[in-house]
């Protein structure tokens, strides 16, 4: 009934058996007297259960709860809405909620009650949050900017269409670093998103709203985009797993662009099993049978690169086929992606990674130290990043075809958005030169072709590294230091540029925490590791991630809050019989640090 339900089926079998026994007719050979039925109930241990606890819920646990009657989809969505109402005002993680979410949940309940559950909906009733640069026809798509607050696209992005087809309930849209240009996750529309593990720190970014929300159990899954680090940074900073696929494997159409060369879309989850289901659904956008009529034909032509054998792949199979067993792997360790200078922000990362490497070796993995000086994330970005050449052209094309609730007054170009003094946008001071450069740079600039040639050379170098050392994957910390404090100039120390430029798949997994600080970070600050592979080895990386997680043991910890965030680890009770309507999010940008003035670059 539910393909995602891989756990023990005993409880379901007991429930079905009891249902059959209690429904027997007087002439049935299996007719039982009331006392007999009570004895069977005691035998099967089917005593009344408490309400379903959504904290750390998984796809499998939700489907089990729905099938066994422990919850309804309407009750489930109500529980998430209650958590959002309780904690989002302090987290600034969610920009808007889907007003139809409860109606969709009720329709799913009716579907289940009639016995008409679909084997083709692996995300049935699973609440998902979308980063607010994914087009949705029934919710605004703002990219976190006041300038786009009335942007209502005509169609869903292909990935959104795929999630809906899989049965997901789109719960709402998340805050992000404005236009996905940095990793602080602050926006003119909804202010600074707070890290749920440390109220003094950013959540990473640019998909920081998604990361904070999934970590705080405001949904089960979330989407993000990644131009340099933007999926992996918040996964690392929020103790989550994330996936940036091989270029072309997921259709990135219908997303507010930053740069055609480096942009990718992907997902975040609290565990590898859930991420595998999400990968399967999102990658279905490149299947031949995916006509995407709902998305108005807004597709990404890089999907033509996908080999036939990669289409229609079920990534969950990688978790149960033995793929990625550590004892047969050779893993490269990029020495240049560590900051070996001791310090309060770097030492915790180095200590955690040292422990991880020891445990991987003990599990049988062969580690190869890669010291080639070409692998310097800062130098690679400075020499080869092409965002500023592509951003203006991409944004112009997107805005030219979008729709607004009040046509004629909203921006239709990059120049319209970035009008000085118009206090409808936010740019970090460290990025003023980025915006100024974007006004004059284009894909016709001579330097653009020089950088593209350099990117081709980097791809070749990486392929040679894999071949020379006979590597299965490469590992390194996502960030050389802890995720930065609120008010910092930029999200420094991140290592995402290599995958972004080489079209490589990469999965981020949580590997540990810094030492706790009772007032700020009662559990410590999460630390994540990237696992990078050759193109089209996404399934191998997922298998490796599964085995790494098993070797390290349970790393993930639910945030407990503090520092004005509330008690994030506690159950939020739903009053009455649940929500009758979806509450409206009131965005508040009042917590923007004073060092980030609006309307300036």
């Amino acid at each position: 009934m539910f393909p995602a339900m891989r756990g023990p089926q005993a409880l379901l079998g007991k429930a079905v058996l009891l249902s059959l026994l209690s429904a027997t007719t007087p002439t049935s050979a299996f007719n039982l007297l009331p006392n007999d039925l009570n004895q069977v109930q005691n035998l099967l241990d089917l005593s009344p259960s408490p309400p379903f606890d959504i904290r750390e819920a998984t796809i499998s646990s939700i489907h089990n709860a729905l099938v066994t009657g422990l919850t309804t989809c309407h009750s489930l969505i109500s529980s998430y809405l209650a958590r959002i109402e309780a904690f989002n005002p302090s987290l600034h993680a969610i920009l808007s909620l889907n007003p139809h979410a409860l109606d969709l949940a009720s329709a799913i309940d009716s579907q289940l009650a009639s016995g008409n559950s679909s084997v083709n909906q692996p995300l049935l009733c699973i609440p998902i949050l979308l980063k607010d640069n994914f087009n949705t026809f029934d919710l605004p798509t703002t990219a976190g900017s006041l300038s786009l607050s009335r942007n209502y696209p005509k169609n869903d992005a292909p990935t959104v269409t795929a999630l809906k087809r899989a049965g997901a309930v789109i719960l709402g849209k998340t805050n992000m670093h404005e236009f996905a240009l940095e990793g602080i996750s602050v926006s003119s529309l909804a202010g600074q998103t707070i890290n749920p593990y440390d109220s003094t720190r950013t959540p990473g970014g640019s998909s920081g709203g998604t990361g904070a929300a999934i970590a705080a159990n405001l949904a089960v899954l979330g989407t993000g985009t990644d131009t340099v680090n933007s999926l992996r940074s918040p996964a690392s900073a929020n103790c989550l797993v994330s996936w940036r696929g091989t270029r072309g494997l997921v259709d990135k159409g219908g997303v507010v662009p930053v740069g055609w060369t480096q942009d990718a879309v992907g997902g975040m989850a609290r565990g590898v099993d859930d991420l595998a289901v999400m990968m399967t659904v999102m990658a279905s956008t490149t299947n031949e049978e995916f006509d995407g009529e709902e998305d108005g034909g807004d597709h990404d032509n890089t999907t033509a690169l996908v080999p036939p054998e990669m289409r229609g792949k079920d990534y969950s199979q990688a978790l149960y086929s033995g793929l990625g067993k550590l004892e047969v792997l050779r893993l490269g360790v990029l020495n240049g992606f560590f900051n070996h200078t001791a310090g309060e922000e770097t030492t915790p990362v180095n200590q955690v990674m040292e422990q991880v490497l020891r445990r991987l070796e003990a599990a049988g993995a062969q580690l190869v130290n890669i010291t080639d000086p070409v692998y310097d994330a800062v130098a690679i970005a400075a020499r080869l990043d092409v965002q500023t050449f592509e951003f203006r052209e991409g944004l112009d094309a997107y805005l030219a075809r979008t729709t607004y609730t009040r046509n004629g007054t909203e921006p239709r170009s990059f120049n319209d958005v970035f009008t000085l003094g118009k206090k409808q946008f936010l740019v970090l001071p460290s990025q003023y030169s980025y915006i100024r450069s974007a006004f004059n740079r284009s894909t016709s600039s001579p330097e653009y072709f020089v950088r593209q040639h350099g990117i081709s050379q980097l791809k070749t170098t990486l392929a040679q590294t894999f071949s020379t050392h006979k590597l299965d994957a490469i590992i390194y910390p996502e960030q050389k230091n802890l995720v930065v404090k609120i008010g910092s100039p930029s999200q420094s120390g991140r290592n995402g540029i290599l995958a972004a430029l080489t079209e490589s798949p990469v999965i981020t997994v949580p590997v540990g925490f810094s030492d706790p600080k009772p007032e700020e970070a009662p559990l410590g600050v999460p630390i994540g590791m990237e696992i990078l592979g050759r193109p089209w080895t996404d399934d191998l990386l997922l298998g490796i991630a599964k085995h790494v997680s098993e070797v390290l043991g349970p790393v993930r910890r639910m945030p407990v809050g503090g520092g004005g965030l509330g008690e994030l680890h506690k159950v939020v009770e739903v009053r009455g019989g649940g929500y009758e309507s979806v509450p409206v999010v009131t965005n508040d940008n009042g917590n923007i640090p004073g060092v980030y003035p609006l309307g300036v670059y």
Side-chain angles (χ1 to χ4, degrees):
M1 183 177 293
F2 294 100
M5 192 168 58
R6 299 182 181 274
Q9 305 296 311
L11 182 58
L12 175 58
K14 292 176 183 178
V16 171
L17 177 59
L18 184 57
S19 175
L20 291 172
L21 290 173
S22 61
T24 51
T25 64
T27 57
S28 169
F30 298 99
N31 188 39
L32 298 175
L33 297 174
N35 187 57
D36 297 324
L37 192 58
N38 289 336
Q39 291 180 6
V40 172
Q41 181 165 332
N42 292 333
L43 177 66
L44 298 181
D45 190 26
L46 283 174
S47 54
S49 301
F52 181 66
D53 186 353
I54 64 170
R55 295 173 303 169
E56 303 296 286
T58 65
I59 295 171
S60 179
S61 70
I62 288 173
H63 284 173
N64 277 320
L66 289 171
V67 171
T68 57
L70 186 59
T71 190
T72 64
C73 190
H74 190 282
S75 294
L76 182 86
I77 298 303
S78 290
S79 294
Y80 281 101
L81 293 176
R83 284 192 68 84
I84 290 168
E85 278 207 296
F87 299 124
N88 190 60
S90 57
L91 286 172
H92 292 251
I94 296 175
L95 291 174
S96 60
L97 291 173
N98 181 2
H100 310 295
L102 290 171
D103 295 333
L104 292 168
S106 295
I108 290 171
D109 286 332
S110 297
Q111 178 183 343
L112 291 172
S114 66
N116 185 29
S117 58
S118 173
V119 295
N120 294 320
Q121 290 189 299
L123 295 177
L124 190 67
C125 190
I126 302 302
I128 291 182
L129 289 166
L130 307 174
K131 184 179 182 179
D132 200 19
N133 55 355
F134 283 72
N135 279 356
T136 46
F137 80 90
D138 49 359
L139 286 170
T141 299
T142 71
S145 181
L146 282 169
S147 65
L148 300 189
S149 60
R150 296 186 180 89
N151 174 30
Y152 280 83
K154 295 179 181 178
N155 305 101
D156 288 334
T159 43
V160 177
T161 298
L163 293 168
K164 287 182 176 180
R165 287 184 180 184
V169 175
I170 304 301
L171 200 54
K173 310 285 283 288
T174 59
N175 198 10
M176 55 183 282
H177 195 97
E178 190 149 338
F179 286 107
L181 297 184
E182 237 284 349
I184 300 296
S185 291
V186 61
S187 72
S188 61
L189 184 60
Q192 174 67 62
T193 302
I194 311 299
N195 190 309
Y197 290 92
D198 184 339
S199 59
T200 70
R201 293 184 185 266
T202 66
S206 61
S207 311
T210 298
I214 304 306
N217 288 281
L218 306 188
V220 176
L221 303 172
T223 68
T225 58
D226 191 303
T227 305
V228 182
N229 298 277
S230 298
L231 271 160
R232 295 162 282 159
S233 168
S236 174
N238 291 280
C239 205
L240 303 173
V241 292
S242 72
W243 167 62
R244 175 191 167 113
T246 303
R247 189 178 191 219
L249 189 56
V250 180
D251 194 323
K252 62 185 178 186
V255 174
V256 182
V258 178
W260 180 82
T261 298
Q262 298 169 215
D263 281 353
V265 300
M268 278 182 259
R270 289 185 290 270
V272 176
D273 292 76
D274 284 0
L275 185 67
V277 179
M278 195 177 191
M279 288 170 63
T280 301
V281 172
M282 295 187 79
S284 73
T285 55
T286 62
N287 293 352
E288 292 181 0
E289 66 272 15
F290 190 91
D291 52 45
E293 293 177 359
E294 300 94 326
D295 55 46
D298 188 3
H299 290 282
D300 163 24
N301 60 13
T302 62
T303 59
L305 300 170
V306 181
E309 64 272 16
M310 297 300 296
R311 299 183 188 274
K313 183 181 286 288
D314 179 0
Y315 286 94
S316 293
Q317 292 180 358
L319 304 178
Y320 304 97
S321 63
L323 197 63
K325 287 186 176 180
L326 296 177
E327 58 265 28
V328 299
L329 295 182
R330 285 175 61 85
L331 302 175
V333 183
L334 291 187
N335 184 65
F337 279 24
F338 289 74
N339 184 341
H340 296 291
T341 302
E344 187 177 0
E345 298 295 304
T346 56
T347 298
V349 175
N350 293 333
Q351 289 177 339
V352 165
M353 285 300 300
E354 184 180 351
Q355 294 169 4
V356 170
L357 297 179
R358 284 203 304 265
R359 297 183 75 167
L360 293 181
E361 277 193 310
Q366 296 183 52
L367 302 184
V368 181
N369 190 29
I370 307 297
T371 58
D372 190 328
V374 73
Y375 296 116
D376 179 328
V378 175
I380 291 172
R383 186 168 58 91
L384 300 178
D385 192 311
V386 292
Q387 292 177 74
T388 56
F389 297 89
E390 298 175 344
F391 180 43
R392 176 173 54 83
E393 292 179 356
L395 188 60
D396 282 349
Y398 175 87
L399 294 175
R401 64 178 179 267
T402 196
T403 54
Y404 293 102
T405 53
R406 290 193 317 195
N407 287 321
T409 60
E410 279 71 34
R412 285 291 172 190
S413 68
F414 174 93
N415 289 29
D416 289 345
V417 170
F418 294 104
T419 301
L420 285 170
K422 202 174 172 182
K423 297 200 176 180
Q424 295 286 298
F425 65 87
L426 185 152
V427 177
L428 300 187
S430 63
Q431 285 199 300
Y432 289 173
S433 60
Y434 179 113
I435 298 300
R436 292 168 186 164
S437 297
F439 272 100
N440 302 311
R441 289 179 169 180
S442 73
T443 55
S444 299
S445 301
E447 187 181 347
Y448 179 72
F449 295 98
V450 172
R451 291 189 177 218
Q452 287 288 359
H453 178 67
I455 290 171
S456 296
Q457 291 180 316
L458 181 64
K459 293 176 187 176
T460 301
T461 299
L462 181 61
Q464 289 173 342
T465 298
F466 268 96
S467 178
T468 300
H469 297 285
K470 298 180 174 59
L471 301 178
D472 297 288
I474 289 174
I475 58 176
Y476 47 88
E478 200 294 319
Q479 195 162 3
K480 301 180 185 74
N481 43 265
L482 299 178
V483 67
V484 302
K485 295 273 190 175
I486 292 170
S488 295
S490 67
Q491 193 63 253
S492 60
R494 297 183 296 173
N495 290 317
I497 189 67
L498 182 62
L501 292 177
T502 59
E503 305 179 0
S504 304
V506 60
I507 287 179
T508 304
V509 294
V511 291
F513 285 79
S514 67
D515 290 336
K517 290 186 177 181
E519 296 300 321
E520 300 174 359
L523 299 177
V525 179
I527 295 165
M529 181 180 78
E530 291 194 19
I531 309 170
L532 179 146
R534 296 175 184 259
W536 315 116
T537 60
D538 303 65
D539 53 349
L540 171 62
L541 298 185
L542 189 68
I544 295 173
K546 176 75 169 179
H547 291 293
V548 168
S549 299
E550 290 173 348
V551 165
L552 297 181
V555 174
R556 176 166 168 79
R557 306 171 192 168
M558 181 169 53
V560 300
L565 295 179
E567 297 178 301
L568 296 173
H569 61 297
K570 291 194 173 181
V571 173
V572 177
E573 294 186 8
V574 181
R575 298 172 184 172
Y579 283 75
E580 295 183 359
S581 62
V582 176
V584 176
V585 174
T586 301
N587 287 312
D588 176 13
N589 65 5
N591 74 337
I592 296 175
V595 293
Y596 308 147
L598 297 186
V600 180
Y601 58 83

